[in-house]
Amino acid sequence: MILLSIHNLSLPIEDPVLKFLLVLVIILAAPLLLNKIKVPHLLGLIIAGAIIGPNGFNVLSRDSSIVVTGTTGLLYIMFLAGLEIDMGDFKKNKWKSLTFGIYTFTVPFVLGYLGGYYLLHFSMLTSILFASLFSSHTLIAYPLVSKLGIAKNKAVNITVGGTMITDILALLVLAVIVGMSQGDVGTEFWVKLSVSFIVFALIVLILFPIIGRWFFKKVDDKISQYIFVLVMIYLAAMLAELAGVEAIIGAFFAGLALNRLIPHTSSLMNRVEFVGNAIFIPFFLISVGMLIDFKVFFKSWETLEVAGIMLVASIGGKYLSAVATQKTFRLTKEEGKLIFGLSSASAAATLASVMVGYNIILSETETGEPVRLLNEHVLNGSILLILISCTISSFISMASAQKIAESDNEDTVSGNSHEEENILLAINHEETVERMVNLGILIKAHSNTEDFFALNVINEDKNESSVKNAEKLLHQAADAAAAADVKLQTFKRYDNDVINGVNNVIKEQNITDLIIGLEDEKGFSPSFVYNLYNGYLQNDDVNVLVYHAAQPLSTIKRYAVMIPENAHQEAGFFHALLRVWNIARNSGATVAFYTPENILDILQKIIKKANIEAEFIIMNTWQDGEKTAAQLKDDEALIIFMAKRGMKSYIPRMRLIPELLNRYLSNNNYLLIFPFSEYDKNSPEIRSVGNHGDFMEIGNVIQKIFK
């Protein structure tokens, strides 16, 4: 024990305040220092953990506080991987993920078994467990890739899906080998393991979404919502352990279960990512670093031999698996590298398996020393594997992800000219403010970081209470947007006529989309319908959206979208369609299109390039669509493409829509979209064929089909 003269402190530091301060300083300093020399800060945190840990300068011990927080970080990584996965793309690529999962499990497993059995002369059971160490991998570089904005890339999607498969297989091997080493593998063992795992999966994937949807409907408090998410993560992790598999599988399943309930652009998602990336995940990386002991590699050549075989089996196996996946599915070279980078890190499952194998004592030697299922050379070799594999994973993932991100940006720039997207929220009622902000965030392009506005019109008599109320509503709107890390510009306007005030801002800011919120109780009042048709809709080059929210957007399971005949011939159709696509992509909800057959063909061509979870139903008459809309279930919402009189897609029965919605859907969410009827005079091309970040591909397809 080394004594310090300052306040009689000793190493390792036990004072909780000083301990936490030191960890926070490391979390703060690592990115700032390492970004300058282009070293991934993930690696820096691991190295920092090794330096301050018990095997380094022994500044901090790897005690329960570090382990608990670090475990949360590990679960967080797996949870985010499941939460951020695009379920539409996941289903589309499920066979690719399965194929990669088989590759990345089998190839390292075979190499590890050959090395363990023939080179290290382990027993068959030990060799099988030894081989399984290299089949699993930890998505340690996933936060880095997600931060670069390519979490929805096909390569990332395949790797995340494959991670679930290979980790489950590797941990099942662990469960079986442990059972066999203890002599209790039989029919009962297999039945118990199979049944418990199936029950666990059904509880998490079916029951969790039901509980989550109920909770988010009933509880508006943001802090309570975040704590609920943490409870779900740990509950799923505990259920996984009860089922006989590792907690990380439970966390991943929890992410899949809550995927549709936490929209990717929501304030809750922002909180989940922020806290995880700021605190929990760095703690995990530091805790991993604390396990590293460089001294052991100078004490025994056998340890170096074992470590060398482990590195070849793990890194080499993952590389061959990534190359095989790239060749099989004709991915780009950079996507192949990204798969290798993400899958090459061994930390969580590998460490768990090693510790379990190390703690199983098979027998004792004549001198009384324990004979372990996995010996200390494997334990020490795994530490070197963690360090080197995480280093390779960080560098390869960052390099390939940056190139893919740059390539995506170049494609965006070299595509069609950027379409201005200026979204205006006309707010007037306190209960509708947050709902309108959430809708605006959901429909806007990812690349639109500034052109998002909120307006409140004040009567020109400048009544003091009216001014204060306007400031309150605008402040509320700005706060709601800021919670999702979105900048919202607010305006107050003085005008005797609200519609004139709104129209003036539309002209001043070149607004492309106007969102108007309906009050819950009033719905479509006669005065609102009059103002809508004789005021707001007089703007021929603005997309007008009328929104009624009876429940949070995140709790909507399915959207029914009614599109009238000839709608595709309207100037603003594709601009409006892109809004629906954004809702589907950002919320993860299923979209059912009710549309004439000719428009159905258009949608099916688009979805091949811009995938969402969609159903297509031929709507022979508008009355058929009205009947379907009137029969919407709970947790379903309606979107209707409307038209003004004189437009090609106008149907006289559209005048009855407000009355029908008031009668049948007062307890449902619905959105009326009035596409603009004239092209922007300054933009001869279709306005929706523009730079929309992730959704630019829709514009590309539309341009090819309709140019």
Side-chain angles (χ1 to χ4, degrees):
M1 192 75 72
I2 301 173
L3 296 180
L4 297 179
S5 60
I6 303 175
H7 300 300
N8 294 320
L9 290 178
S10 61
L11 296 181
I13 296 172
E14 297 295 336
D15 182 73
V17 175
L18 186 56
K19 181 190 296 186
F20 198 73
L21 173 62
L22 181 59
V23 174
L24 289 179
V25 169
I26 293 172
I27 295 173
L28 173 64
L32 297 177
L33 297 176
L34 295 176
N35 284 343
K36 294 182 178 180
I37 57 176
K38 297 185 178 180
V39 173
H41 69 273
L42 306 179
L43 177 59
L45 292 171
I46 294 174
I47 295 175
I51 293 173
I52 68 170
N55 299 314
F57 291 102
N58 197 29
V59 178
L60 295 180
S61 61
R62 195 173 187 272
D63 58 15
S64 59
S65 63
I66 298 293
V67 172
V68 168
T69 316
T71 299
T72 303
L74 171 58
L75 297 179
Y76 230 96
I77 290 176
M78 296 303 295
F79 175 72
L80 286 176
L83 188 65
E84 294 187 352
I85 194 170
D86 189 303
M87 295 305 293
D89 287 340
F90 181 68
K91 290 182 178 179
K92 183 179 179 181
N93 296 315
K94 59 180 179 290
W95 298 115
K96 293 183 177 69
S97 293
L98 178 62
T99 302
F100 169 67
I102 293 173
Y103 283 159
T104 197
F105 175 82
T106 305
V107 177
F109 185 89
V110 170
L111 292 177
Y113 180 80
L114 294 175
Y117 192 75
Y118 291 103
L119 298 180
L120 300 175
H121 307 294
F122 291 156
S123 67
M124 181 172 290
L125 281 184
T126 299
S127 296
I128 292 174
L129 181 56
F130 181 73
S132 72
L133 302 179
F134 319 122
S135 296
S136 63
H137 55 253
T138 303
L139 295 172
I140 202 166
Y142 182 83
L144 184 71
V145 171
S146 177
K147 188 177 181 180
L148 290 174
I150 61 169
K152 294 184 178 182
N153 181 274
K154 184 189 295 184
V156 178
N157 214 283
I158 291 173
T159 308
V160 171
T163 297
M164 175 181 65
I165 294 164
T166 190
D167 281 2
I168 289 175
L169 292 175
L171 295 170
L172 286 177
V173 169
L174 172 65
V176 172
I177 295 300
V178 170
M180 292 179 69
S181 68
Q182 297 173 346
D184 60 356
V185 173
T187 303
E188 183 181 351
F189 170 82
W190 289 107
V191 171
K192 181 181 178 182
L193 182 62
S194 301
V195 172
S196 61
F197 183 78
I198 291 172
V199 171
F200 149 73
L202 291 176
I203 289 175
V204 175
L205 296 179
I206 296 177
L207 192 59
F208 274 33
I210 295 174
I211 296 172
R213 185 167 282 107
W214 173 85
F215 185 87
F216 290 136
K217 279 184 180 179
K218 300 295 183 181
V219 179
D220 293 329
D221 181 66
K222 306 305 180 186
I223 296 176
S224 298
Q225 289 182 351
Y226 178 74
I227 298 300
F228 172 79
V229 171
L230 287 183
V231 169
M232 291 292 102
I233 295 174
Y234 266 96
L235 180 58
M238 184 195 72
L239 292 174
E241 290 183 334
L242 292 175
V245 295
E246 283 298 311
I248 57 175
I249 301 300
F252 182 78
F253 273 46
L256 294 177
L258 299 182
N259 184 285
R260 300 180 188 280
L261 296 174
I262 306 179
H264 298 155
T265 56
S266 66
S267 58
L268 180 56
M269 174 65 91
N270 187 50
R271 290 184 181 89
V272 169
E273 290 183 325
F274 177 80
V275 176
N277 292 326
I279 300 294
F280 293 126
I281 294 176
F283 258 94
F284 164 67
L285 298 172
I286 291 173
S287 71
V288 169
M290 287 182 170
L291 294 169
I292 297 172
D293 184 1
F294 296 102
K295 296 188 291 291
V296 299
F297 306 112
F298 301 100
K299 295 180 180 179
S300 171
W301 283 107
E302 188 175 349
T303 296
L304 292 176
E305 180 186 5
V306 172
I309 292 174
M310 295 177 75
L311 287 169
V312 171
S314 180
I315 305 300
K318 296 302 182 186
Y319 177 76
L320 293 175
S321 302
V323 171
T325 304
Q326 177 194 341
K327 299 296 184 184
T328 301
F329 302 115
R330 299 179 181 179
L331 303 176
T332 66
K333 186 178 179 180
E334 293 304 327
E335 286 175 330
K337 287 183 179 180
L338 182 57
I339 291 176
F340 169 60
L342 284 171
S343 64
S344 59
S346 297
T350 299
L351 187 60
S353 299
V354 169
M355 295 305 296
V356 170
Y358 181 76
N359 290 326
I360 293 178
I361 299 175
L362 301 175
S363 62
E364 291 185 356
T365 64
E366 294 179 356
T367 59
E369 294 182 1
V371 177
R372 302 177 184 275
L373 186 58
L374 293 177
N375 60 35
E376 62 179 6
H377 300 301
V378 177
L379 176 62
N380 293 328
S382 67
I383 300 303
L384 184 63
L385 173 62
I386 289 172
L387 176 62
I388 295 179
S389 66
C390 290
T391 301
I392 292 174
S393 176
S394 299
F395 277 106
I396 299 294
S397 297
M398 185 173 72
S400 55
Q402 284 179 338
K403 289 182 180 179
I404 291 174
E406 289 170 1
S407 176
D408 290 346
N409 290 336
E410 287 175 4
D411 290 342
T412 297
V413 173
S414 63
N416 304 289
S417 58
H418 176 69
E419 176 204 9
E420 278 191 291
E421 180 191 74
N422 301 322
I423 299 175
L424 176 64
L425 311 178
I427 60 175
N428 194 37
H429 308 289
E430 185 174 355
E431 66 270 19
T432 66
V433 171
E434 186 171 357
R435 303 169 187 176
M436 292 172 64
V437 171
N438 291 337
L439 177 66
I441 293 172
L442 205 63
I443 68 170
K444 78 178 188 66
H446 287 175
S447 58
N448 182 1
T449 57
E450 295 183 354
D451 301 324
F452 192 33
F453 309 95
L455 167 69
N456 183 268
V457 179
I458 306 170
N459 193 285
E460 278 190 333
D461 61 11
K462 299 182 181 181
N463 182 281
E464 185 176 348
S465 61
S466 298
V467 174
K468 288 184 177 180
N469 183 62
E471 291 175 346
K472 176 184 176 182
L473 295 180
L474 294 173
H475 182 72
Q476 184 180 343
D479 284 349
D485 204 20
V486 173
K487 181 181 178 181
L488 178 70
Q489 300 182 49
T490 59
F491 296 109
K492 286 185 299 184
R493 284 293 184 271
Y494 296 93
D495 202 303
N496 285 327
D497 186 88
V498 173
I499 294 175
N500 284 339
V502 173
N503 289 343
N504 288 336
V505 173
I506 288 175
K507 295 173 183 177
E508 292 169 10
Q509 302 298 328
N510 195 23
I511 297 300
T512 59
D513 298 85
L514 171 65
I515 300 178
I516 307 168
L518 289 174
E519 292 182 85
D520 284 344
E521 297 179 357
K522 293 183 179 179
F524 280 96
S525 63
S527 60
F528 179 85
V529 173
Y530 178 84
N531 290 334
L532 176 65
Y533 282 95
N534 297 283
Y536 299 116
L537 294 181
Q538 299 305 309
N539 296 285
D540 293 331
D541 57 355
V542 174
N543 194 40
V544 179
L545 299 90
V546 180
Y547 180 49
H548 173 267
Q551 66 186 79
L553 279 166
S554 62
T555 62
I556 301 296
K557 291 182 180 178
R558 180 177 179 269
Y559 287 90
V561 181
M562 290 173 54
I563 304 178
E565 191 174 2
N566 299 321
H568 62 294
Q569 298 180 21
E570 304 293 358
F573 173 71
F574 295 109
H575 182 97
L577 185 63
L578 193 57
R579 300 291 167 258
V580 176
W581 235 261
N582 285 2
I583 290 174
R585 289 290 292 267
N586 288 327
S587 70
T590 300
V591 178
F593 289 97
Y594 294 83
T595 172
E597 192 168 357
N598 58 342
I599 298 179
L600 200 68
D601 293 337
I602 296 170
L603 298 177
Q604 289 176 331
K605 289 177 181 178
I606 295 174
I607 204 169
K608 289 179 181 179
K609 293 292 184 179
N611 189 52
I612 59 173
E613 288 198 69
E615 304 169 5
F616 301 100
I617 299 99
I618 296 177
M619 184 176 67
N620 294 315
T621 66
W622 188 253
Q623 287 89 333
D624 291 340
E626 291 177 357
K627 292 177 182 177
T628 301
Q631 297 171 357
L632 282 186
K633 302 175 183 177
D634 292 339
D635 302 326
E636 293 185 341
L638 178 67
I639 300 176
I640 304 179
F641 278 62
M642 300 287 285
K644 295 180 289 186
R645 187 186 299 274
M647 296 176 66
K648 296 177 181 178
S649 59
Y650 177 75
I651 297 172
R653 288 187 63 86
M654 285 182 176
R655 283 282 183 174
L656 302 177
I657 291 296
E659 180 184 344
L660 294 174
L661 292 176
N662 284 344
R663 184 185 306 171
Y664 296 111
L665 295 181
S666 59
N667 295 322
N668 292 79
N669 285 23
Y670 54 79
L671 178 67
L672 303 188
I673 304 180
F674 293 83
F676 54 79
S677 55
E678 291 185 2
Y679 293 118
D680 187 342
K681 296 177 182 179
N682 299 320
S683 180
E685 71 279 333
I686 296 175
R687 286 173 61 172
S688 64
V689 185
N691 176 357
H692 285 279
D694 287 348
F695 309 104
M696 180 193 167
E697 52 198 348
I698 297 175
N700 290 340
V701 174
I702 293 171
Q703 188 182 43
K704 290 177 182 177
I705 297 175
F706 300 101
K707 191 171 181 179

